[in-house]
Amino acid sequence: QVQLVESGGGLVQAGGSLRLSCVASGSIFRINDMGWYRQAPGKQRELVAGFTSAGSTNYADSVKGRFTVSRDNAKNTMYLQMNSLNPGDTAVYYCNIGAKDGRDYWGQGTQVTVSS
């Protein structure tokens, strides 16, 4: 079955960088969209960055200019390059894929902690 495996989270100082990776395995119906979400304690889950069904990128206003989402279709991998991190970026980050048949897949989440 489908599995999304994330890596790259950790502890970093403000101003630093991290790159998250999400590797998909299993049989996934044609992909509609995909992206990275995050959730901090006491806050709603929010879309950070992703690809629309048309293939264009979409970013939350809070991360524009700092984060870059990319993918390598041959490796079934999606990335999130995070630069100029600040404590407000501290959250659990989740990989998500939405298939065209309506199914939705999530990774296990990876913790990103940014110290001030």
Side-chain angles (χ1 to χ4, degrees):
Q1 58 185 30
V2 173
Q3 185 177 29
L4 306 181
V5 179
E6 302 166 338
S7 62
L11 175 64
V12 65
Q13 293 183 334
S17 298
L18 288 172
R19 188 181 74 162
L20 306 183
S21 299
C22 172
V23 180
S25 62
S27 181
I28 304 177
F29 195 81
R30 187 172 56 183
I31 293 172
N32 184 60
D33 53 19
M34 63 180 69
W36 292 92
Y37 291 74
R38 69 185 182 188
Q39 186 166 24
K43 298 184 66 177
Q44 299 272 29
R45 183 182 64 182
E46 64 174 345
L47 174 66
V48 178
F51 291 92
T52 70
S53 60
S56 62
T57 54
N58 189 34
Y59 295 92
D61 288 341
S62 61
V63 307
K64 286 181 179 178
R66 300 189 297 120
F67 290 11
T68 303
V69 63
S70 61
R71 62 187 177 188
D72 186 335
N73 291 336
K75 297 180 179 179
N76 296 317
T77 302
M78 180 174 63
Y79 305 94
L80 183 66
Q81 178 67 47
M82 305 185 293
N83 298 326
S84 301
L85 286 161
N86 62 65
D89 298 316
T90 295
V92 178
Y93 285 70
Y94 298 92
C95 176
N96 169 261
I97 293 177
K100 288 188 180 296
D101 65 355
R103 295 180 184 270
D104 214 29
Y105 304 96
W106 293 90
Q108 79 286 352
T110 185
Q111 178 71 47
V112 172
T113 302
V114 184
S115 61
S116 60

